[in-house]
Every structure is written in C-alpha cells, then in structure tokens.
Amino acid sequence: MIQNIAVIGCGTMGRGIALVFAQFGYSIELFDVNKEILNKSLSMIDKDLDKQIRRGLINLEAKETALKKIIPNTKIESILYNTDLVIEAIYEDKDAKLLLYKTIHQLVKPECIFATNTSSISITELQVNIRPELFIGMHFMNPVTIMKLVEVIKGHATSTETYEKVIEIVKSINKVPVVVNDYPGFIANRILIPMINEAIFAVYEGVASIKDIDSVMKLGANLPMGPLELADFIGLDICLNIMNVLYTGFNDPKYRPCPLLKKMVAAKKLGKKSGEGFYKY
C-alpha cells in the first residue's frame, strides 16, 4: 500500500503534486537542492491553501492538516528508506533525470515505485537500468490542484502490477488517469505544443498581431486562453524543450521549433515567470 511519497523538485509542478497528495492524507517528503526555491514553494503552498479557504473549499483545520503532511528537505541523501513512491518533477533534461534516479535507487527500498512527471521524454529511455519494471510516467497538468487529468505512461518494461498501482493512486486523489503509449510528447503535449508553435510562426510571419491571434483562437475555437498567452503561462523554455523532443523523436520537419521561439528563449523572455514573453507581466 502506497502511503509515503517523495516529490523531487519543487517548482510549479512539484509543489502542486505535493499539495494534492498531502490533502488526500499521504505523507510527503518535498525535496529541492535550492533552499530558497524550497522555502518559496512552501510559501506558495500556504497561499494556495488560503485561496481554497476563501473559496469555501476547505477549512483552517484541513489546511493545517495538509501542511503537517509535507516535510521539506534539501538533501536527497536523507530520503526515507520506507518511501513507497518517488515522483520526479525536475527540469526537462534526460541526463539530469537519469543521474537523479541512480542516486535515489540506492537509498529507497527495493519495491519503491519510480514515477516521472516528464511532459515529453520517453519513459522507456528513462527507465533503463533503474528498476525498469517499477518505473512509469505520471504526467500531471498545470495547475495540479485544479486539472483532473493525469497521463499514465507505461515504458516498455513497466510491469502490469506497477501500472495498476499507479492507476489506483491517481484515482485516490480524485484525478482521472488516462493511459498513453510511450511516444514523444504523449498525447497532451504532442497536440498542444505544436499548436502553440504554429501560433508563434503566425507572429513570426506577420500574419496578425499577438492579441489578434489569441482572440481568434479564443473566440473561434472556444479556447479559455489564447495559444500565445498559454505559452507564456507554460514557459517558453518548456515549450521549446518539448518541441525539440518532438523534432528529435519523430525526425519530422513539421515539429521544427519556430526561430522566434528560440530567439525569445535565448533572450530570457520566458513568459510569466520571467516577467515578459509575448505579453508583459
């Protein structure tokens, strides 16, 4: 039975994953090597719970109970041996992820499940040599506290038992698991990010203004947020990383990242998190 969960990386996704599991009674170890980022993450979790109180979704007691379930830590070497599930949510770099798994593998019990929140990297490539039968993809959507979907991705060697346990744990936190085969970008980002990339090409080619492109897609396709505004929300660096994974994985020119996207990332105009992307914040 899964009860003790370690979440590695406390950016937007990591802290959201930790909060959701804590609110459903799981014991959470939240790790990040950067103490400043970890403290900021805990502050954001506190604010998120306050928002839920204001909206009447929880009471003060529920907030305090959830916070007590989250133990922050900057030293991965102190991860508890009795951890049942590790969820990795660090940045999208295959080599960094593999190095992390190798370290954790030596610290946790043999039956501990490894899950990655990667948004595009092959699960089969990530599970090589690190208890592959216990390795799986759990791709949460942002914001984690609101979005119901979790893409569950089986690698080539993922066991049926591991897959069934992960399906159940996703259901236990009131999320909807959708089974996806292991192809670059899975489903959500294989469809979403190329659409964003095409919208960026429309800006690059001068088809219309940023605002008008977003207006067309909101009013004409009934999207809650225009693709360029959404790119800013996701982070242009993340969009570029995913396009590169698709481009390399499929070897198909239709996934070529727009030169404007690459230029904006090089200029550190990453969207909302940097204060400027296609819009200013």
Side-chain angles (χ1 to χ4, degrees), residues 24-191:
F24 279 86
Y26 291 92
S27 297
I28 307 298
E29 287 184 277
L30 181 58
F31 290 88
D32 201 290
V33 293
N34 188 315
K35 189 173 182 179
E36 183 179 344
I37 292 176
L38 183 58
N39 289 335
K40 182 180 178 181
S41 179
L42 293 171
S43 177
M44 294 295 288
I45 287 172
D46 190 273
K47 290 177 181 178
D48 199 328
L49 289 166
D50 283 339
K51 286 180 184 178
Q52 293 185 39
I53 290 174
R54 289 196 297 271
R55 293 170 183 167
L57 300 175
I58 63 171
N59 56 28
L60 182 58
E61 183 182 359
K63 172 189 172 179
E64 293 174 349
T65 299
L67 289 176
K68 288 177 182 177
K69 286 287 185 179
I70 301 173
I71 301 172
N73 206 322
T74 57
K75 297 180 179 179
I76 196 67
E77 295 80 10
S78 64
I79 190 170
L80 295 177
Y81 179 79
N82 67 349
T83 298
D84 302 307
L85 170 65
V86 170
I87 302 177
E88 169 270 308
I90 68 171
Y91 55 98
E92 287 289 85
D93 182 279
K94 179 181 172 182
D95 291 336
K97 291 177 186 291
L98 290 174
L99 181 60
L100 174 65
Y101 305 152
K102 186 176 181 180
T103 300
I104 300 171
H105 174 66
Q106 302 168 9
L107 302 170
V108 298
K109 60 187 179 183
E111 62 268 33
C112 178
I113 294 173
F114 278 41
T116 175
N117 184 56
T118 181
S119 56
S120 57
I121 301 173
S122 168
I123 304 304
T124 299
E125 291 180 11
L126 290 176
Q127 72 181 179
V128 175
N129 298 328
I130 304 297
R131 58 183 79 186
E133 72 285 352
L134 293 171
F135 195 99
I136 198 164
M138 293 176 71
H139 181 212
F140 289 79
M141 304 294 123
N142 187 27
V144 180
T145 54
I146 296 173
M147 302 296 280
K148 289 288 189 181
L149 173 65
V150 179
E151 288 183 311
V152 177
I153 309 102
K154 294 171 63 178
H156 180 73
T158 306
S159 72
T160 299
E161 183 181 2
T162 298
Y163 158 75
E164 289 175 348
K165 284 183 179 179
V166 169
I167 289 291
E168 288 307 310
I169 199 172
V170 170
K171 290 178 179 178
S172 77
I173 57 171
N174 200 27
K175 301 293 183 186
V176 179
V178 175
V179 181
V180 182
N181 288 322
D182 187 19
Y183 286 93
F186 316 131
I187 294 175
N189 284 329
R190 180 175 175 174
I191 295 170

